Amino acid sequence: MSDSVNPILAADGTPLKKKLGQALFRSRVQAFGLVVPLLAFVIVSFIVPIVVLLWQGIHDSRYAELMPGSTLALSKWDGITEPTEEMYSALVADLIEARKQKTIGKVATRVNRELSGTRSLFTSTARRAARLAAPYKDALVEVNVAWGEIETWQAMKVASRVYTPGYLLAALDFSLSADGTVTRKPENRRIHIKLFLRTLEISVVVTVACLFLGYPIAYLLSSLPLRTSNILLILVLLPFWTSLLVRTTSWIAMLQAQGVMNDLFVAFGITGDDDRFSLIYNKTGTLIAMTHILLPFMILPLYSVMKAIPPSYVRAAKSMGATDWTAFWRVYFPQSVPGIGAGVLLVFILAIGYYITPALVGGQDGQMISNIIDFHMRKSLNWNLAAAIGLVLLVIILALFWIYDRIVGIDNLKLG
Amino acid sequence: MVEVSAVEISGVDKAKERRKTLSDASEKSEFVVFERVQKSYDGETLVVKDLNLTMARGEFLTLLGPSGSGKTTCLMMLAGFETATHGDIFLAGRPINNIPPYKRGIGMVFQNYALFPHMTVGENLSFPLEVRKLGKSEREEKVKKALDMVKMVGFEKRRPAQLSGGQQQRIALARALVFEPELILMDEPLGALDKQLREHMQFEIKHLHERLGITVVYVTHDQSEALTMSDRIAVFNDGVIQQLSNPDDLYERPENAFVAQFIGENNRLKGTIESLNGKIVHVAFDDGCQSKALAVNCGGKGSRTTLSIRPERVALGWDEESNTTRGEVLELTYLGDHIRYRMNVHGNPDFVLRLPNTSGHAELAVGESAKISWKSEDCRALDP
């Protein structure tokens, strides 16, 4: 009341709040100035490429740009009735132009994604397009009967959409038809959902395995005298200084049919020489190698949290009559939960996007979703689908992160 | 090394009334016994050397000593967190070397309280009752009683982090008391508090001890804390109990030079024994002057000795019956209720005199040479 009437003034007569704002503004500008170089670097080299790439998952203007006439004609078509002569003539004009501009290959590739086998249809027809005369419908059908089939035109209509949910739907094993209806792909072609589920399964198993293997080690590290624990910590960190590829390939040497593990199993009579375990180039190999590689990411946050738990808590619990187990479970464990939270989140998020290790040791059924993204980026060159799968993966991770925040609480997380 | 016999102390009487189950007198006077206990961590040095100690039921015993003197190790061995390398520890006549800590039934207050941060105050207090499988209503009743004891009723729902240091201290105390152990160990429990609160808590702990008649082993390195609270004090140094006695004996009749120096302020004068005459020795200082002293812990004629005189037992001026000498005033500090003079006496430049600030007291200036005197019985000849 008196404050609002007579605001407190600074020594030079300006209101104190304003003065404080000015003083803080300067320091804020300074702080911002310090992070500008890094911020610019991150935006240019990281955020912009990611956004541009992900954008391709829902945006594909190739057909619309290269075949403007037929795009216009296709947009008027309902996708069910017989294609009109207008559409055929627009197509021929576009084909002639595309051949002249040498862009017909791109167009053919684009449509081929919607209906396989149409690539040669486009390229061969484009070669002869300049010689065709009206009526174009009959002329085109004469060149190739496929032009008379409605599926060809439906594929072109889908391809002509600039903003398309088609890739996202494909990432989830659905297909988009020309009239806008969404149908599930036939069972033998649903590969993405299976891969997403397998990726989640492998990530969960690896995370749980890391937790069970890492917790006792972290506990040991934190309770040993400093000299001993430092030596052990170096052993934990040693893998970090070795190349990921080297570690993965050494697992191949360990686990392959004629490898160290199988030799040992045979030597101890656990299995016969002609009946060796297949430990690699399958899911087992992926699980073993990933657990080993990601284990330090579980141990380190656990260790740093456990290190900060004074031994007096457990001692206090025991002095009050708690057995070793009760003291651990009721007093020590709850205080190590922030470390578990951090380790689990770290390992899970690293695991869900893991690529090199499954690619090398995964074989057929040890592949993960990032391997299929890689396939579309480098082999099939369908970047749009790769971007769409990446987008789905990102959404899944964000959703899991949200669930994690609701259950565990993101502030209940400590890295050190 | 000091051989210890149990001393009956007033205030133990209440404890006797409380515990009628053990009528055997030795059970009462030998509640906690350390017998020839040794402890080594590395197999090379002994942290605790041949410790013998007997505590009576209801006693408040303080283990006092500089850090690294072995006092906390003794406490940890009693609590069961460290095992004795050699020797036996008895609790109520039972050897406890092989009993795990959770079966010993000893309450403990830790240096940093060790209140479980993920539990509320109420949960912290009911924890020892839960592990004893007490019913809910009984737990609530006992928790309330314990909180009442430390005047913290109404704080059940708070978390330890929401309490001040002094409040946490009280809760830690209540938690150690709530399951009604007969023995409570306290490991420098007031170390983290500020001076005023510490002094206040000293009296509260003391009063709780008197009211409940529990037995307390208290570890501290703060000598004034030890003097204020204890029935008896064991002064530790170098893994050995240097002296075990009640506070006034410890201050007025130290038995060796370490105790004299460690407890309170002390003046040391080094000299050689000239002659021994019953309880009085004649000591010659290195500058040739002589003084008479009480023979306490010194060798025979010709051996070196350290004389110990408390600053407040040195008087200004000459006295016919006392030892007299001269000292040069090096520094004077005005402390309100008294004035502290630092003097050079017989080659010791750290000889301190403490004169009460009475009306008309003598005033000395720096550089002045003053006559001082002390009584022979206030001057104790100790080990060199």
Side-chain angles (χ1 to χ4, degrees):
Chain A
M1 312 6 90
S2 70
D3 280 5
S4 56
V5 178
N6 292 319
I8 303 169
L9 300 180
D12 60 355
T14 48
L16 195 60
K17 275 196 175 159
K18 199 176 153 197
K19 198 80 187 162
L20 182 71
Q22 285 171 354
L24 290 179
F25 179 73
R26 233 167 284 141
S27 66
R28 272 197 211 116
V29 167
Q30 273 176 357
F32 186 71
L34 288 173
V35 299
V36 158
L38 180 65
L39 194 66
F41 175 77
V42 167
I43 288 174
V44 169
S45 69
F46 201 68
I47 294 176
V48 169
I50 285 179
V51 169
V52 166
L53 209 63
L54 288 180
W55 182 240
Q56 291 191 21
I58 54 166
H59 179 265
D60 186 355
S61 60
R62 219 172 327 175
Y63 190 94
E65 269 172 22
L66 301 175
M67 310 278 278
S70 79
T71 302
L72 188 67
L74 282 165
S75 69
K76 288 175 192 156
W77 181 50
D78 63 358
I80 303 163
T81 53
E82 196 78 355
T84 58
E85 174 63 19
E86 188 198 344
M87 287 159 69
Y88 280 100
S89 67
L91 174 69
V92 170
D94 280 347
L95 284 175
I96 294 167
E97 182 63 17
R99 171 137 172 89
K100 211 187 285 171
Q101 303 291 333
K102 296 196 169 71
T103 53
I104 187 65
K106 290 184 184 174
V107 175
T109 308
R110 174 67 190 94
V111 182
N112 193 57
R113 275 182 203 157
E114 302 302 331
L115 186 66
S116 52
T118 48
R119 181 194 296 273
S120 58
L121 175 70
F122 270 80
T123 48
S124 64
T125 311
R127 271 200 298 278
R128 300 162 64 179
R131 278 173 276 145
L132 294 175
Y136 290 111
K137 181 173 180 179
D138 296 336
L140 277 170
V141 171
E142 195 169 310
V143 170
N144 196 321
V145 285
W147 289 116
E149 288 161 8
I150 195 155
E151 286 84 6
T152 312
W153 288 92
Q154 285 172 339
M156 284 159 67
K157 185 172 169 68
V158 171
S160 70
R161 290 179 69 157
V162 175
Y163 293 96
T164 172
Y167 292 112
L168 278 175
L169 289 169
L172 294 168
D173 292 340
F174 287 95
S175 53
L176 182 70
S177 62
D179 57 354
T181 55
V182 175
T183 49
R184 269 192 102 172
K185 282 186 178 167
E187 189 135 11
N188 58 346
R189 302 199 57 189
R190 290 177 201 160
I191 51 164
H192 292 137
I193 292 290
K194 216 171 86 189
L195 268 173
F196 273 119
L197 288 178
R198 188 197 291 159
T199 304
L200 285 177
E201 181 204 329
I202 289 178
S203 304
V204 167
V205 172
V206 166
T207 307
V208 170
C210 281
L211 180 60
F212 275 92
L213 293 173
Y215 197 93
I217 296 170
Y219 179 76
L220 188 71
L221 283 174
S222 67
S223 57
L224 281 175
L226 202 62
R227 273 181 58 148
T228 331
S229 74
N230 274 347
I231 293 170
L232 284 178
L233 198 63
I234 287 172
L235 291 181
V236 170
L237 287 171
L238 207 57
F240 271 134
W241 305 329
T242 319
S243 154
L244 177 65
L245 272 174
V246 172
R247 275 182 284 161
T248 306
T249 37
S250 56
W251 273 113
I252 299 178
M254 290 286 287
L255 298 176
Q256 62 192 349
Q258 301 298 320
V260 179
M261 292 309 288
N262 264 317
D263 284 350
L264 282 176
F265 288 145
V266 172
F268 285 108
I270 296 170
T271 184
D273 195 16
D274 47 357
D275 191 26
R276 289 170 174 244
F277 294 115
S278 40
L279 297 172
I280 203 153
Y281 305 126
N282 54 22
K283 201 153 76 182
T284 318
T286 304
L287 287 174
I288 293 175
M290 277 180 68
T291 303
H292 167 250
I293 287 163
L294 292 174
L295 197 54
F297 293 98
M298 181 66 82
I299 294 176
L300 290 178
L302 275 175
Y303 168 71
S304 68
V305 167
M306 286 176 175
K307 194 83 195 158
I309 304 174
S312 60
Y313 287 132
V314 170
R315 286 183 166 180
K318 286 185 190 170
S319 80
M320 285 182 267
T323 58
D324 291 354
W325 170 251
T326 313
F328 167 78
W329 184 245
R330 295 276 317 272
V331 175
Y332 192 87
F333 181 78
Q335 294 187 67
S336 68
V337 163
I340 295 176
V344 162
L345 199 66
L346 205 59
V347 168
F348 185 79
I349 285 184
L350 282 172
I352 207 167
Y354 231 60
Y355 158 65
I356 294 179
T357 304
L360 286 178
V361 304
Q364 245 335 296
D365 67 341
Q367 297 294 307
M368 293 170 74
I369 197 70
S370 39
N371 299 107
I372 212 79
I373 295 178
D374 167 63
F375 170 77
H376 286 306
M377 290 296 285
R378 296 195 299 132
K379 299 270 170 54
S380 80
L381 298 182
N382 189 347
W383 284 25
N384 303 87
L385 184 55
I389 299 172
L391 203 58
V392 172
L393 186 60
L394 185 65
V395 169
I396 290 175
I397 291 177
L398 289 178
L400 289 171
F401 197 70
W402 179 78
I403 293 170
Y404 177 90
D405 186 33
R406 295 298 300 267
I407 296 171
V408 184
I410 202 65
D411 37 341
N412 196 3
L413 181 147
K414 221 161 97 187
L415 285 166
Chain B
M1 189 61 47
V2 180
E3 269 305 316
V4 176
S5 61
V7 179
E8 289 289 311
I9 292 135
S10 64
V12 180
D13 299 335
K14 276 184 188 169
K16 282 182 184 167
E17 287 168 20
R18 269 169 63 95
R19 311 188 199 289
K20 286 169 184 159
T21 46
L22 290 167
S23 52
D24 185 4
S26 77
E27 279 283 330
K28 278 173 191 160
S29 59
E30 295 179 1
F31 185 53
V32 176
V33 178
F34 282 75
E35 208 171 270
R36 311 215 61 180
V37 171
Q38 293 182 315
K39 173 71 187 176
S40 172
Y41 286 106
D42 53 6
E44 287 167 11
T45 49
L46 283 172
V47 184
V48 175
K49 300 170 184 163
D50 198 22
L51 178 85
N52 293 287
L53 177 71
T54 307
M55 256 186 94
R57 220 179 250 281
E59 194 177 2
F60 195 122
L61 180 87
T62 296
L63 312 182
L64 174 69
S67 52
S69 59
K71 56 191 192 309
T72 299
T73 305
C74 284
L75 197 75
M76 289 301 166
M77 285 193 287
L78 186 52
F81 301 126
E82 300 287 355
T83 47
T85 314
H86 174 83
D88 291 307
I89 303 171
F90 297 90
L91 179 63
R94 209 158 48 116
I96 55 170
N97 278 18
N98 294 319
I99 297 179
Y102 63 87
K103 282 188 187 160
R104 295 192 183 191
I106 298 174
M108 187 147 180
V109 181
F110 289 81
Q111 195 165 9
N112 293 312
Y113 319 133
L115 295 174
F116 306 142
H118 58 292
M119 298 184 189
T120 63
V121 165
E123 287 164 346
N124 260 290
L125 257 68
S126 87
F127 182 83
L129 308 173
E130 268 174 58
V131 299
R132 284 179 170 72
K133 303 202 166 54
L134 263 63
K136 191 162 186 285
S137 57
E138 200 178 350
R139 288 206 306 262
E140 277 169 2
E141 188 190 321
K142 290 199 177 200
V143 167
K144 202 173 173 312
K145 213 174 102 191
L147 282 173
D148 189 43
M149 214 143 56
V150 294
K151 307 187 189 76
M152 288 287 287
V153 175
F155 284 83
E156 288 92 336
K157 296 273 178 276
R158 301 267 195 105
R159 297 255 169 187
Q162 295 168 305
L163 302 178
S164 70
Q167 288 171 331
Q168 289 184 25
Q169 170 59 51
R170 284 163 195 264
I171 298 303
L173 202 59
R175 194 178 63 172
L177 291 167
V178 72
F179 61 99
E180 292 165 10
E182 298 190 354
L183 177 61
I184 291 206
L185 312 181
M186 301 192 189
D187 184 11
E188 307 208 14
L190 306 180
L193 302 182
D194 60 64
K195 188 170 178 288
Q196 212 172 353
L197 200 54
R198 193 160 65 223
E199 281 167 4
H200 179 74
M201 285 305 293
Q202 284 171 10
F203 284 105
E204 279 201 27
I205 292 175
K206 181 84 192 134
H207 293 156
L208 265 177
H209 162 250
E210 280 164 6
R211 207 166 80 223
L212 302 175
I214 43 173
T215 315
V216 177
V217 182
Y218 192 98
V219 163
T220 184
H221 62 262
D222 180 341
Q223 44 138 323
S224 74
E225 197 167 291
L227 293 174
T228 310
M229 303 172 78
S230 319
D231 295 328
R232 283 194 305 162
I233 299 169
V235 181
F236 272 72
N237 190 39
D238 203 20
V240 173
I241 296 183
Q242 302 289 337
Q243 186 170 354
L244 178 82
S245 44
N246 49 28
D248 43 338
D249 269 349
L250 208 59
Y251 185 81
E252 291 183 32
R253 287 175 281 281
E255 284 169 11
N256 59 40
F258 175 81
V259 176
Q261 192 65 20
F262 192 74
I263 308 280
E265 206 168 11
N266 180 45
N267 290 313
R268 285 196 293 187
L269 294 172
K270 301 242 177 215
T272 312
I273 295 173
E274 288 277 290
S275 66
L276 202 65
N277 179 17
K279 288 197 129 187
I280 298 295
V281 283
H282 284 267
V283 176
F285 300 116
D286 297 343
D287 62 359
C289 301
Q290 285 205 355
S291 171
K292 281 186 281 183
L294 193 65
V296 178
N297 183 13
C298 59
K301 187 171 185 281
S303 57
R304 299 286 291 172
T305 182
T306 305
L307 298 188
S308 153
I309 315 151
R310 295 291 180 196
E312 66 275 13
R313 299 293 170 93
V314 183
L316 209 55
W318 285 14
D319 184 340
E320 287 302 308
E321 296 157 27
S322 303
N323 303 288
T324 53
T325 186
R326 281 190 162 273
E328 187 199 348
V329 178
L330 297 177
E331 187 182 20
L332 61 98
T333 316
Y334 183 80
L335 288 162
D337 60 339
H338 69 271
I339 299 158
R340 188 172 180 276
Y341 294 97
R342 187 164 66 84
M343 291 181 148
N344 188 346
V345 176
H346 295 311
N348 177 7
D350 290 319
F351 195 96
V352 172
L353 233 84
R354 210 182 281 169
L355 295 182
N357 190 1
T358 51
S359 55
H361 66 88
E363 282 185 38
L364 297 173
V366 172
E368 203 175 317
S369 177
K371 298 170 188 167
I372 54 172
S373 59
W374 58 77
K375 292 200 171 78
S376 302
E377 55 266 36
D378 288 337
C379 177
R380 297 168 69 82
L382 304 171
D383 53 312

